[in-house]
Amino acid sequence: MNCCYRTGDSVVMVGAGNVASHLAPALVTAGYRVTGIVSRTRQAAESLASTLPACQAATDVCSLARAYIYIICISDDAIPAVVEHIASYAPNALLIHTSGSTPLNVFGNHQRCGVIYPLQTFSLHRAVNMAEVPLFIEANNLETLDRIRGIASRFSQRVQPLDSEARARLHVAAVFACNFPNACINVAAELMGKAEQDWRLLLPLINETIEKLDVLTPQEAQTGPAARGDTELMARQRDLLTEESWRQIYDAISHYILSRHE
């Protein structure tokens, strides 16, 4: 197999979820041929494949023609078995996973392998400007790193090499910056429901919380009773929380804020 990858070379996406649904069309726009979508469920594979030109759907990579590049967008725990399966079928292909926390050594001794980790939250049917998404790349050798940089740079203006250990720390930071706040907003939405108010009334507050970080550090931007050390108000607010999980979240975050603003 020719190992010199060019724009237009064939790509198979393994996975049909949130990440794949954004990377696949970005690759097509960049000039790559996404020839196949592989998913555990045919319906998911067909749903994404139907949005791409001349793209086949499958539940097994072995049912598709061999591609030059395989991009693996699946849950971390499934990556090792899938890598082994693809490597045995297409030993000369370039294998890339998109996980934040799975290290490069998951590829074992495969000759050409690496990572493209997009630092962004993706949801189906929600457009994202891929050109602005930071992509963190890694590879098993400099030649492959250059090839992966060439792929990533075709659809993002922000491409940066990063090793597995630093990428894992970045992923944890992303959980704190994105997943946890969203969970807290979900609690807030439920509390608004108990007050018989539309949770979207919180959107100006949420937006300002994010936007002021353009000019303030997170430490400087922190407000609220815990930042003021108002333990009396905190106790009253805690009494309003009817679910134990909500009280645990309130206590943990309040304790953290108190410790940083003493």
Side-chain angles (χ1 to χ4, degrees):
M1 179 180 290
N2 184 356
C3 65
C4 299
Y5 303 103
R6 305 167 299 276
T7 302
D9 282 336
S10 58
V11 179
V12 166
M13 304 291 299
V14 182
N18 293 334
V19 177
S21 69
H22 286 78
L23 284 188
L27 286 163
V28 170
T29 301
Y32 290 89
R33 295 184 297 117
V34 179
T35 57
I37 302 293
V38 180
S39 178
R40 288 177 297 181
T41 61
R42 178 165 288 277
Q43 181 180 4
E46 290 177 346
S47 178
L48 179 54
S50 67
T51 67
L52 306 171
C55 185
Q56 293 182 296
T59 58
D60 187 346
V61 294
C62 297
S63 66
L64 298 171
R66 287 181 176 84
Y68 286 93
I69 305 166
Y70 291 81
I71 300 182
I72 303 166
C73 310
I74 56 178
S75 61
D76 287 29
D77 59 352
I79 291 176
V82 169
V83 164
E84 183 177 1
H85 185 56
I86 299 173
S88 64
Y89 176 64
N92 296 315
L94 171 58
L95 306 188
I96 299 170
H97 77 62
T98 59
S99 166
S101 294
T102 300
L104 183 66
N105 63 18
V106 73
F107 292 106
N109 296 322
H110 191 75
Q111 292 182 346
R112 285 177 284 277
C113 55
V115 179
I116 298 177
Y117 168 54
L119 186 61
Q120 183 55 276
T121 176
F122 298 105
S123 296
L124 294 175
H125 313 303
R126 169 71 179 175
V128 170
N129 183 356
M130 293 298 297
E132 296 180 356
V133 175
L135 301 179
F136 294 89
I137 62 173
E138 187 179 13
N140 64 327
N141 57 60
L142 291 177
E143 181 183 5
T144 303
L145 185 67
D146 285 342
R147 290 171 179 159
I148 291 176
R149 182 186 284 110
I151 296 169
S153 297
R154 293 291 299 183
F155 59 90
S156 174
Q157 301 171 2
R158 306 175 68 182
V159 179
Q160 176 182 330
L162 196 70
D163 64 34
S164 294
E165 182 178 354
R167 176 163 40 85
R169 295 182 184 278
L170 199 71
H171 193 199
V172 175
V175 168
F176 273 92
C178 173
N179 306 136
F180 288 173
N182 190 75
C184 288
I185 292 170
N186 190 54
V187 172
E190 294 188 49
L191 287 166
M192 291 290 281
K194 289 181 178 295
E196 299 183 347
Q197 297 294 316
D198 185 349
W199 74 270
R200 291 174 182 82
L201 291 170
L202 294 170
L203 286 177
L205 172 65
I206 295 168
N207 291 335
E208 173 60 16
T209 300
I210 299 302
E211 289 171 5
K212 67 181 176 181
L213 294 177
D214 285 337
V215 295
L216 299 174
T217 68
Q219 178 78 4
E220 292 169 339
Q222 187 68 61
T223 60
R228 300 192 302 270
D230 191 342
T231 55
E232 182 178 341
L233 175 55
M234 290 165 59
R236 295 202 306 272
Q237 288 185 336
R238 191 181 188 280
D239 288 341
L240 296 173
L241 302 177
T242 56
E243 294 192 18
E244 179 59 27
S245 61
W246 296 351
R247 291 192 290 272
Q248 290 174 352
I249 294 169
Y250 188 92
D251 289 346
I253 296 178
S254 294
H255 176 75
Y256 170 80
I257 296 172
L258 279 167
S259 70
R260 291 299 188 274
H261 289 79
E262 287 179 340

